[in-house]
Amino acid sequence: MNVLLSPQPPFFPHQHEPSRRSPPRTMSHYTMASRKRKADDDDNEMSVSPTGSPAIHPRQLSRPSKKVRAGIELAGRPLPLPRLLETLDKTQLRAVLQTICERHPDIGHEVMTSAPRPSANGALEVLGEYQDKLRAAIPFGNSSSEYTYYRVKQPLMALVDALGDFTPQFLPPVEQQTTVSLEYLNHATKIIHDLPDFDSQQYRHHKDGAYDEISRAWALVITEAAKRGGGFHLHNGKWDQVLARHNQQSGGKLEQAMNAMINEVGWIGANQNSHGQGSSSDPNSILNQLINGTYGAPVQVGPF
């Protein structure tokens, strides 16, 4: 009589474990076949399924590498031009630019044509800086005219030269707006009033020359303004009174400007006198005093 025994699966001992035999397990042929069929189905499903995701490999994050200038050895070298210009102040930069323009006239011409036109406020600000340097050079206490003159000679000449250069910039036909010209001349004349007064005539020629030049500038602007609207702008802006005060403070050294004012706008006062209108009908007005030649005469107080 034959006895049927269940097949035993082959036993392979683990390579890291000591050889030992596990207790025999009994498994039916049906159970083994079912597991094998299920494993084959799983393999087929994974092989044909489009949704099967591939294996994910770990990504290595790249670190930013330091920028190394290859082929350049570390050594001392001059600054690049943009960095060098950043270290220069206004005075140093102006000196460098002026030197370059003097060496290369074509560059100087290009700068002249490309630079924006200076404003009256900008020019007066520069003149104010020259004026501050002049005041700082004046000695304290009572000093002789000779000593004071030589102390202030350099900043005095620099201020007078700057006035001579800036003033034509604000005269017609370069400056088309009469108001701008008059405002500049008003402030420039105040600067001349503040120039030092010396006892000796040989030291006063700088101030006298400045008065003569500013007087001619006033006369030019007044003549040009009289062509526009018959000079009403001069009279309505009370520039005749402003000029009269400047002439009085200068000791009568703005005579050319005063003559231009009388010749150009004097008819306004005469016309208003004939009609009895306006403030110019007052015989004590500054305009009428200029026309009559009585400006600056002593004024009588009380009954005649």
Side-chain angles (χ1 to χ4, degrees):
M1 183 176 179
N2 294 330
V3 179
L4 296 178
L5 300 176
S6 300
Q8 298 290 337
F11 174 76
F12 299 97
H14 198 277
Q15 58 180 353
H16 298 294
E17 294 180 359
S19 299
R20 61 184 181 87
R21 301 182 66 88
S22 59
R25 293 181 296 175
T26 304
M27 185 176 294
S28 64
H29 177 74
Y30 175 79
T31 303
M32 289 293 296
S34 176
R35 289 186 177 180
K36 184 177 180 181
R37 188 170 21 326
K38 183 178 181 181
D40 294 340
D41 294 340
D42 293 339
D43 293 340
N44 294 334
E45 182 180 356
M46 292 184 63
S47 61
V48 300
S49 175
T51 59
S53 59
I56 299 177
H57 299 283
R59 296 179 57 187
Q60 296 182 355
L61 298 178
S62 59
R63 297 181 179 178
S65 59
K66 295 183 179 179
K67 186 178 180 181
V68 180
R69 297 180 181 179
I72 300 179
E73 297 181 358
L74 182 60
R77 62 181 182 274
L79 279 174
L81 179 60
R83 298 300 184 191
L84 178 61
L85 295 178
E86 289 178 347
T87 64
L88 302 179
D89 58 19
K90 183 176 66 174
T91 302
Q92 294 172 331
L93 186 61
R94 183 168 52 206
V96 171
L97 181 60
Q98 183 175 353
T99 302
I100 294 175
C101 293
E102 291 175 353
R103 293 177 181 177
H104 305 279
D106 53 337
I107 297 179
H109 176 72
E110 185 174 355
V111 172
M112 289 287 294
T113 55
S114 302
R117 185 170 177 267
S119 63
N121 291 333
L124 293 172
E125 183 178 353
V126 175
L127 292 175
E129 294 177 358
Y130 282 105
Q131 192 175 23
D132 293 338
K133 295 178 181 179
L134 174 61
R135 291 170 177 170
I138 297 177
F140 294 99
N142 296 326
S143 302
S144 63
S145 295
E146 183 178 5
Y147 174 76
T148 303
Y149 174 75
Y150 285 104
R151 278 287 302 270
V152 304
K153 180 179 179 180
Q154 184 176 358
L156 174 62
M157 293 180 62
L159 175 57
V160 173
D161 290 343
L163 277 167
D165 291 335
F166 277 116
T167 300
Q169 180 70 23
F170 302 99
L171 300 180
V174 178
E175 179 57 59
Q176 297 294 328
Q177 299 183 18
T178 305
T179 304
V180 175
S181 300
L182 294 172
E183 289 290 349
Y184 170 82
L185 293 177
N186 181 32
H187 288 86
T189 308
K190 293 179 181 179
I191 294 176
I192 299 176
H193 291 328
D194 292 337
L195 294 178
D197 291 316
F198 298 101
D199 297 335
S200 176
Q201 179 62 35
Q202 61 178 341
Y203 302 141
R204 293 202 299 264
H205 67 279
H206 297 292
K207 189 170 185 177
D208 292 342
Y211 272 132
D212 180 69
E213 185 172 352
I214 207 69
S215 179
R216 291 187 285 112
W218 276 99
L220 177 61
V221 175
I222 292 170
T223 302
E224 187 67 24
K227 300 176 182 178
R228 305 175 183 179
F232 282 100
H233 173 69
L234 293 171
H235 184 62
N236 293 337
K238 299 182 179 181
W239 287 106
D240 53 339
Q241 301 179 23
V242 172
L243 181 60
R245 287 191 292 268
H246 282 313
N247 184 57
Q248 185 178 15
Q249 188 172 355
S250 67
K253 295 178 181 178
L254 302 181
E255 182 179 359
Q256 186 173 354
M258 296 295 296
N259 291 334
M261 183 68 74
I262 294 173
N263 295 332
E264 299 297 340
V265 301
W267 66 270
I268 299 177
N271 183 55
Q272 290 184 349
N273 283 337
S274 62
H275 292 80
Q277 299 176 355
S279 60
S280 295
S281 60
D282 183 4
N284 294 325
S285 67
I286 294 179
L287 181 59
N288 285 330
Q289 293 182 43
L290 293 174
I291 297 172
N292 299 329
T294 59
Y295 181 81
V299 179
Q300 297 182 359
V301 181
F304 293 97

Coordinates of all heavy atoms in Angstrom, one line a residue, residues 17-55:
E17 N 23.1 32.8 9.1 CA 22.6 32.1 10.3 C 23.2 30.7 10.3 O 23.6 30.1 9.3 CB 21.1 32.0 10.2 CG 20.4 33.3 10.3 CD 18.9 33.2 10.2 OE1 18.4 32.0 10.0 OE2 18.2 34.2 10.3
P18 N 23.3 30.2 11.5 CA 23.9 28.8 11.6 C 22.9 27.9 11.0 O 21.7 28.1 10.9 CB 24.0 28.6 13.1 CG 23.1 29.6 13.7 CD 23.1 30.8 12.8
S19 N 23.5 26.8 10.5 CA 22.6 25.8 9.8 C 21.7 25.2 10.8 O 22.1 24.6 11.8 CB 23.5 24.7 9.2 OG 24.3 25.3 8.2
R20 N 20.4 25.4 10.6 CA 19.4 24.8 11.4 C 18.2 24.4 10.6 O 17.9 25.1 9.6 CB 19.0 25.7 12.6 CG 18.4 27.0 12.1 CD 18.1 27.9 13.3 NE 17.5 29.1 12.8 CZ 16.2 29.3 12.7 NH1 15.4 28.3 12.9 NH2 15.7 30.5 12.3
R21 N 17.6 23.5 11.0 CA 16.4 23.0 10.2 C 15.2 23.5 10.9 O 15.0 23.4 12.1 CB 16.4 21.5 10.2 CG 17.7 20.9 9.5 CD 17.6 19.4 9.4 NE 16.5 19.0 8.5 CZ 16.6 18.8 7.2 NH1 17.7 19.0 6.6 NH2 15.5 18.5 6.5
S22 N 14.3 24.1 10.1 CA 13.0 24.6 10.6 C 12.1 23.4 10.7 O 12.2 22.4 9.9 CB 12.4 25.7 9.8 OG 12.2 25.2 8.5
P23 N 11.1 23.5 11.5 CA 10.2 22.4 11.6 C 9.4 22.3 10.3 O 9.1 23.3 9.7 CB 9.3 22.8 12.8 CG 9.4 24.3 12.9 CD 10.8 24.5 12.5
P24 N 9.1 21.1 9.9 CA 8.5 20.9 8.7 C 7.1 21.5 8.7 O 6.4 21.5 9.7 CB 8.4 19.4 8.5 CG 8.5 18.9 9.9 CD 9.4 19.8 10.7
R25 N 6.7 22.1 7.5 CA 5.4 22.7 7.4 C 4.6 22.0 6.3 O 5.2 21.7 5.3 CB 5.5 24.2 7.0 CG 6.1 25.1 8.2 CD 6.1 26.5 7.8 NE 7.0 26.7 6.6 CZ 7.2 27.9 6.0 NH1 6.5 28.9 6.5 NH2 8.0 28.0 5.0
T26 N 3.4 21.8 6.6 CA 2.6 21.1 5.7 C 1.7 22.1 4.9 O 1.1 23.0 5.4 CB 1.6 20.2 6.4 OG1 2.4 19.3 7.2 CG2 0.8 19.4 5.4
M27 N 1.8 22.1 3.5 CA 1.1 23.0 2.7 C 0.5 22.2 1.5 O 1.2 21.4 0.9 CB 2.1 24.1 2.1 CG 1.4 25.2 1.3 SD 2.5 26.4 0.8 CE 2.9 27.1 2.4
S28 N -0.7 22.5 1.3 CA -1.4 21.8 0.2 C -1.0 22.3 -1.1 O -0.5 23.4 -1.3 CB -2.9 21.9 0.4 OG -3.3 23.3 0.3
H29 N -1.2 21.5 -2.1 CA -0.9 21.8 -3.5 C -1.8 22.9 -4.0 O -1.3 23.8 -4.7 CB -1.0 20.6 -4.4 CG -0.8 20.9 -5.9 ND1 0.5 21.1 -6.4 CD2 -1.7 21.0 -6.9 CE1 0.4 21.3 -7.7 NE2 -0.9 21.3 -8.0
Y30 N -3.0 23.0 -3.5 CA -3.9 24.1 -3.9 C -3.5 25.4 -3.4 O -3.5 26.4 -4.1 CB -5.3 23.7 -3.4 CG -6.3 24.8 -3.7 CD1 -6.9 24.9 -4.9 CD2 -6.7 25.7 -2.7 CE1 -7.8 25.9 -5.2 CE2 -7.6 26.7 -2.9 CZ -8.2 26.8 -4.2 OH -9.1 27.8 -4.4
T31 N -3.0 25.4 -2.2 CA -2.6 26.7 -1.6 C -1.4 27.3 -2.3 O -1.2 28.4 -2.6 CB -2.3 26.5 -0.1 OG1 -3.4 26.0 0.5 CG2 -1.9 27.9 0.5
M32 N -0.4 26.4 -2.7 CA 0.8 26.9 -3.4 C 0.5 27.4 -4.8 O 1.0 28.4 -5.2 CB 1.8 25.7 -3.5 CG 2.4 25.3 -2.1 SD 3.5 26.6 -1.6 CE 4.7 26.6 -2.9
A33 N -0.4 26.7 -5.4 CA -0.8 27.1 -6.8 C -1.5 28.4 -6.8 O -1.3 29.3 -7.6 CB -1.7 26.0 -7.4
S34 N -2.4 28.6 -5.7 CA -3.1 29.9 -5.6 C -2.2 31.1 -5.4 O -2.3 32.1 -6.0 CB -4.1 29.8 -4.5 OG -4.8 31.0 -4.3
R35 N -1.2 30.9 -4.5 CA -0.2 32.0 -4.3 C 0.6 32.3 -5.5 O 0.9 33.4 -5.8 CB 0.7 31.6 -3.1 CG -0.1 31.6 -1.8 CD 0.9 31.4 -0.6 NE 0.2 31.5 0.7 CZ 0.8 31.3 1.8 NH1 2.1 31.0 1.9 NH2 0.1 31.4 2.9
K36 N 1.0 31.3 -6.2 CA 1.8 31.5 -7.4 C 1.0 32.2 -8.5 O 1.5 33.2 -9.1 CB 2.3 30.1 -7.9 CG 3.2 30.3 -9.1 CD 3.7 28.9 -9.6 CE 4.6 29.1 -10.8 NZ 5.1 27.8 -11.2
R37 N -0.2 31.9 -8.6 CA -1.1 32.6 -9.6 C -1.3 34.1 -9.2 O -1.2 35.0 -10.1 CB -2.4 31.9 -9.8 CG -3.2 32.4 -10.9 CD -4.4 31.6 -11.3 NE -5.1 30.8 -10.6 CZ -5.1 29.8 -9.7 NH1 -4.3 29.5 -9.2 NH2 -5.9 29.0 -9.2
K38 N -1.4 34.3 -8.0 CA -1.6 35.7 -7.5 C -0.4 36.6 -7.7 O -0.4 37.7 -8.1 CB -2.1 35.7 -6.0 CG -2.3 37.1 -5.5 CD -2.8 37.0 -4.1 CE -3.1 38.4 -3.6 NZ -3.6 38.4 -2.2
A39 N 0.8 36.0 -7.5 CA 2.0 36.7 -7.7 C 2.2 37.0 -9.1 O 2.7 38.1 -9.5 CB 3.2 35.9 -7.1
D40 N 1.9 36.0 -10.0 CA 2.0 36.3 -11.5 C 1.1 37.4 -11.9 O 1.5 38.2 -12.8 CB 1.8 35.0 -12.2 CG 2.8 33.9 -12.0 OD1 3.9 34.3 -11.5 OD2 2.5 32.7 -12.2
D41 N -0.1 37.4 -11.4 CA -1.0 38.5 -11.8 C -0.5 39.9 -11.3 O -0.7 40.9 -12.0 CB -2.4 38.2 -11.1 CG -3.1 37.0 -11.7 OD1 -2.6 36.6 -12.8 OD2 -4.0 36.5 -11.1
D42 N 0.0 39.9 -10.1 CA 0.6 41.2 -9.7 C 1.7 41.7 -10.5 O 1.8 42.9 -10.8 CB 1.0 41.1 -8.2 CG -0.1 40.8 -7.3 OD1 -1.3 41.2 -7.7 OD2 0.1 40.4 -6.1
D43 N 2.6 40.7 -11.0 CA 3.7 41.1 -11.8 C 3.2 41.6 -13.1 O 3.7 42.6 -13.7 CB 4.6 39.9 -12.0 CG 5.3 39.6 -10.7 OD1 5.4 40.4 -9.8 OD2 5.8 38.4 -10.6
N44 N 2.2 41.0 -13.7 CA 1.7 41.4 -15.0 C 1.0 42.8 -14.9 O 1.1 43.6 -15.8 CB 0.7 40.4 -15.6 CG 1.4 39.1 -15.9 OD1 2.6 39.1 -16.2 ND2 0.6 38.0 -15.8
E45 N 0.3 43.0 -13.8 CA -0.4 44.3 -13.6 C 0.5 45.5 -13.5 O 0.3 46.5 -14.1 CB -1.3 44.2 -12.4 CG -2.2 45.5 -12.2 CD -3.0 45.4 -11.0 OE1 -3.1 44.3 -10.4 OE2 -3.7 46.4 -10.6
M46 N 1.6 45.3 -12.8 CA 2.6 46.3 -12.7 C 3.3 46.6 -13.9 O 3.7 47.7 -14.2 CB 3.6 46.0 -11.6 CG 3.0 46.0 -10.2 SD 4.2 45.7 -8.9 CE 5.2 47.1 -9.1
S47 N 3.5 45.5 -14.8 CA 4.3 45.7 -16.0 C 3.5 46.5 -17.1 O 4.0 47.1 -17.9 CB 4.7 44.4 -16.5 OG 3.6 43.6 -16.8
V48 N 2.2 46.3 -17.1 CA 1.3 47.0 -18.1 C 0.6 48.2 -17.6 O 0.0 48.9 -18.4 CB 0.3 46.0 -18.7 CG1 1.0 44.8 -19.3 CG2 -0.7 45.5 -17.6
S49 N 0.6 48.5 -16.4 CA -0.2 49.6 -15.9 C 0.5 50.9 -16.2 O 1.7 51.1 -15.9 CB -0.3 49.5 -14.3 OG -1.0 50.6 -13.8
P50 N -0.2 51.9 -16.8 CA 0.5 53.2 -17.1 C 0.7 54.1 -15.9 O 1.4 55.1 -16.0 CB -0.5 53.9 -18.1 CG -1.8 53.3 -17.7 CD -1.5 51.9 -17.3
T51 N 0.0 53.7 -14.8 CA 0.2 54.6 -13.6 C 1.3 54.1 -12.7 O 1.5 54.7 -11.7 CB -1.1 54.6 -12.8 OG1 -1.4 53.2 -12.5 CG2 -2.3 55.1 -13.7
G52 N 2.0 53.2 -13.2 CA 3.1 52.8 -12.3 C 4.2 53.8 -12.3 O 4.7 54.3 -13.3
S53 N 4.5 54.3 -11.1 CA 5.5 55.4 -11.0 C 6.9 54.8 -10.9 O 7.1 53.8 -10.3 CB 5.2 56.2 -9.7 OG 5.3 55.3 -8.6
P54 N 7.8 55.5 -11.6 CA 9.2 55.0 -11.6 C 9.8 55.2 -10.2 O 9.3 56.0 -9.4 CB 9.9 55.8 -12.7 CG 9.1 57.1 -12.7 CD 7.7 56.7 -12.4
A55 N 10.9 54.6 -10.0 CA 11.6 54.7 -8.8 C 12.2 56.1 -8.6 O 12.7 56.7 -9.6 CB 12.8 53.7 -8.7

